[in-house]
């Protein structure tokens, strides 16, 4: 059973028209033989630029957030249908930086996933424990609670989501979860998703948190790690393309 892996870059709040143009051209030029799906989640103002530069190619476009609302008086928010207008295929929802700095609750994250799904956009639902939660032995409880909220609100549509396990203590810290630590949590999430989906579709579960060119192959070799959500290393084309190559090498 071989599935194409998904490597998604999360640029976070980085970039400029000039820097993006160079990065996108290099990434697109290097994707020739890729045997995995590849996406970049860019800041909203650059969606049009990224759409134009990636038009007709293999690189898929993603957003880093989406409003839970369809339209209306929600200053600063961007709706799923607006993202759709720019060819967006994926929207990250519930990233730990949004949970932490913007107070996003499990319930709101579930509504954002629903909003994305209603416009045909695949939500990349992020879950993950803090260091304190891990040390208190609460990792499984936390990630299951976060995912359960999305499952309960979205019912059978759940087969259309992507999940990303991002241990908060591994994000931007250079501290990666070991392949064994990541696999253990992915297996828990896999079982939870399996119980929730009547059809036995395999929902992709990505790992995120200091994944880089050096550790990607080992992480991606784990049976329940279906790809990566890449922060810092997605801003350098050579690093990002090496991760894409590691994922491609595992295609059957
Ligand atoms: P880093 O790869 O920079 O640790 O970020 C991971 C992340 O948060 C991706 O969404």
């Amino acid at each position: 059973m071989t599935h194409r892996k998904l490597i998604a870059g999360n640029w976070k709040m980085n970039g400029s028209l000039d820097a993006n143009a160079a990065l996108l051209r290099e990434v697109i030029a290097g994707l020739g033989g890729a045997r995995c799906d590849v996406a970049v989640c860019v800041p909203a103002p650059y969606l049009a630029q990224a759409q134009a530069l990636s038009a007709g190619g293999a690189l898929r476009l993603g957003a880093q957030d989406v409003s839970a609302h369809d339209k209306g008086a929600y200053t600063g928010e961007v709706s799923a249908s607006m993202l759709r207008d720019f060819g967006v295929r994926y929207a990250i929802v519930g990233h730990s930086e949004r949970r932490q700095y913007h107070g996003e609750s499990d319930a709101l994250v579930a509504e954002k996933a629903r909003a994305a799904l209603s416009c045909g956009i695949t939500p990349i639902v992020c879950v993950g424990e803090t260091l304190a939660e891990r040390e208190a032995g609460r990792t499984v409880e936390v990630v299951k609670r976060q995912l359960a909220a999305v499952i309960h609100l979205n019912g059978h549509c759940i087969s259309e989501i992507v999940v990303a396990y991002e241990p908060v203590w591994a994000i931007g810290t250079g501290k990666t979860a070991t392949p064994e630590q990541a696999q253990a949590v992915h297996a828990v999430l896999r079982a939870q998703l399996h119980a929730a989906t009547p059809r036995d579709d395999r929902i992709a579960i990505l790992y995120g948190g200091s994944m880089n060119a050096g550790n990607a192959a080992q992480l991606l070799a784990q049976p329940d790690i279906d790809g990566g959500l890449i922060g810092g290393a997605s801003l350098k084309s050579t690093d990002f393309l090496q991760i894409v190559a590691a994922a491609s090498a595992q295609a059957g």
Side-chain angles (χ1 to χ4, degrees):
M1 176 170 75
T2 312
H3 295 268
R4 275 173 85 84
K5 304 228 185 241
L6 168 62
I7 300 298
N10 173 9
W11 289 4
K12 307 193 179 184
M13 198 172 73
N14 293 291
S16 65
L17 282 175
D18 286 349
N20 303 346
L23 178 55
L24 286 167
R25 286 209 178 91
E26 287 161 16
V27 167
I28 290 165
L31 281 187
R35 292 193 297 157
C36 61
D37 295 329
V38 184
V40 284
C41 300
V42 309
Y46 298 127
L47 285 170
Q49 179 195 25
Q51 184 187 29
L53 288 177
S54 62
L59 184 64
R60 299 177 176 188
L61 202 50
Q64 297 174 12
D65 184 28
V66 61
S67 176
H69 305 285
D70 294 342
K71 63 175 178 171
Y74 301 102
T75 301
E77 295 269 277
V78 177
S79 72
S81 65
M82 293 173 186
L83 297 177
R84 191 71 233 172
D85 276 346
F86 290 90
V88 164
R89 298 269 299 262
Y90 301 98
I92 297 172
V93 300
H95 192 281
S96 63
E97 288 150 16
R98 296 211 58 88
R99 293 180 190 262
Q100 188 181 346
Y101 306 136
H102 301 271
E104 294 196 3
S105 64
D106 294 340
L108 179 62
V109 172
E111 283 174 20
K112 289 184 170 199
R114 180 166 69 178
L117 287 166
S118 73
C119 285
I121 292 172
T122 300
I124 301 178
V125 177
C126 298
V127 299
E129 81 287 3
T130 63
L131 185 59
E133 288 164 340
R134 172 163 284 266
E135 287 176 344
R138 296 183 50 219
T139 298
V140 167
E141 166 204 330
V142 169
V143 299
K144 285 184 83 169
R145 186 202 73 221
Q146 292 172 333
L147 185 56
V150 176
I151 290 172
H152 287 143
L153 190 75
N154 290 282
H156 67 274
C157 294
I158 206 74
S159 59
E160 307 300 324
I161 73 170
V162 167
V163 174
Y165 170 54
E166 297 208 315
V168 178
W169 48 272
I171 295 176
T173 57
K175 260 197 208 172
T176 318
T178 64
E180 294 73 24
Q181 282 174 322
Q183 167 57 30
V185 178
H186 280 233
V188 166
L189 298 170
R190 174 81 63 217
Q192 190 179 4
L193 290 165
H194 186 76
T197 43
R199 294 181 298 150
D200 192 19
D201 291 336
R202 186 180 167 102
I203 294 169
I205 308 176
L206 315 181
Y207 169 80
S210 299
M211 193 188 265
N212 58 40
N215 61 29
Q218 263 197 312
L219 286 160
L220 294 169
Q222 299 301 310
D224 289 303
I225 300 188
D226 304 315
L229 186 54
I230 323 295
S234 72
L235 298 172
K236 288 195 192 135
S237 59
T238 46
D239 292 11
F240 190 59
L241 288 169
Q242 277 181 285
I243 298 170
V244 169
S248 294
Q250 304 206 3

